[in-house]
């Protein structure tokens, strides 16, 4: 079993099953609260990590979609931001998304490496002695989930919050200035 698992890891063919082993399962049972993010940093770290992993395998959600990975509509960036801010070593692992592009196997490897970092008995014991800090679900930081839209006029991909009447800022301005051809105007 261990040889097969190592072979899958080296080929970046990591699956949901690879996130479970007796040690990880025992630590999850000990530190994952039944509700909320717990009452110390160990429970928060496990909560945030489990959320990232679960949402990826069950819903296809990613913690940052600004570097090429497309995810669904759930914003889980706060959990990644919490880990990056408060757990030593998590930032380096999570920042790899910047160079990951749209590689699903690469994203899974990031989560797998994060899982290996967090589900370490020594780390969790140290974090357990530290009081809860921030919110493991909603922390500001470098990771973001942006809703994208496509301009009805030019097809440009822009942040949905910047769009007006289905148009990117440039096309909206052109429409307001009367620069659209008569046949293009539906307004």
């Amino acid at each position: 079993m261990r040889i097969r698992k190592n072979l899958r890891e080296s080929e970046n063919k990591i699956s949901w099953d690879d996130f479970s082993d007796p040690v990880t399962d025992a630590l999850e049972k000990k530190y994952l609260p039944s509700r909320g993010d717990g009452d110390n940093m160990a429970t928060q770290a496990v909560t945030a990590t489990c959320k990232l992993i679960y949402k990826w395998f069950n819903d296809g959600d990613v913690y940052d979609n600004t570097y090429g990975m497309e995810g669904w509509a759930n914003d889980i960036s706060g959990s990644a931001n919490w880990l990056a801010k408060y757990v030593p070593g998590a930032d380096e692992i999570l920042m790899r998304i910047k160079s990951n592009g749209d590689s699903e196997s690469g994203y899974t490897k990031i989560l797998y490496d994060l899982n290996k970092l967090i589900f370490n008995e020594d780390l969790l014991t140290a974090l357990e002695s530290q009081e809860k800090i921030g919110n493991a679900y909603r922390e500001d930081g470098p990771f973001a989930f942006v809703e994208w839209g496509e301009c009805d006029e030019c097809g440009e991909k822009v942040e949905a919050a910047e769009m007006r009447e289905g148009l990117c800022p440039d096309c909206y301005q052109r429409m307001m200035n009367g620069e659209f051809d008569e046949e293009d105007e539906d307004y």
Side-chain angles (χ1 to χ4, degrees):
M1 174 70 173
R2 176 56 83 185
I3 294 170
R4 185 175 174 188
K5 184 174 181 180
N6 288 339
L7 177 63
R8 283 196 313 260
E9 289 174 27
S10 67
E11 294 174 349
N12 283 331
K13 293 183 180 176
I14 300 168
S15 72
W16 172 263
D17 293 335
D18 294 316
F19 287 81
S20 180
D21 61 50
V23 172
T24 302
D25 295 347
L27 291 171
E28 183 178 316
K29 184 175 182 179
K30 180 177 180 179
Y31 291 107
L32 185 63
S34 60
R35 216 174 25 198
D37 64 352
D39 56 5
N40 61 59
M41 286 185 66
T43 60
Q44 289 182 288
V46 169
T47 296
T49 303
C50 287
K51 179 165 186 152
L52 295 178
I53 294 166
Y54 177 84
K55 296 303 277 180
W56 170 244
F57 282 102
N58 286 284
D59 300 331
D61 295 337
V62 297
Y63 60 88
D64 191 307
N65 67 342
T66 62
Y67 298 104
M69 278 301 296
E70 300 230 3
W72 295 99
N74 294 309
D75 184 354
I76 57 173
S77 59
S79 293
N81 288 326
W82 189 93
L83 289 163
K85 190 181 279 188
Y86 298 115
V87 178
D91 186 46
E92 292 83 19
I93 293 170
L94 293 165
M95 282 297 188
R96 291 187 349 223
I97 198 166
K98 289 183 174 185
S99 60
N100 187 62
D102 64 356
S103 169
E104 291 183 13
S105 63
Y107 185 79
T108 303
K109 178 76 166 113
I110 290 170
L111 294 180
Y112 182 77
D113 291 346
L114 179 68
N115 188 67
K116 287 177 18 180
L117 171 74
I118 300 300
F119 285 95
N120 172 299
E121 194 162 6
D122 293 334
L123 173 67
L124 290 175
T125 299
L127 291 175
E128 184 178 24
S129 65
Q130 298 181 36
E131 290 184 24
K132 177 179 177 172
I133 185 168
N135 184 314
Y137 294 113
R138 291 182 294 281
E139 190 71 39
D140 291 331
F143 305 111
F145 184 88
V146 176
E147 290 188 45
W148 298 101
E150 187 175 309
C151 177
D152 294 341
E153 178 67 20
C154 70
E156 182 181 349
K157 183 178 172 183
V158 296
E159 287 188 36
E162 294 180 8
M163 294 183 66
R164 292 175 124 188
E165 297 183 29
L167 301 173
C168 70
D170 291 338
C171 289
Y172 182 78
Q173 189 61 47
R174 285 180 40 229
M175 180 191 74
M176 295 305 292
N177 291 339
E179 296 176 28
F180 283 167
D181 293 336
E182 286 292 323
E183 62 195 46
D184 291 342
E185 286 190 35
D186 292 332
Y187 303 99

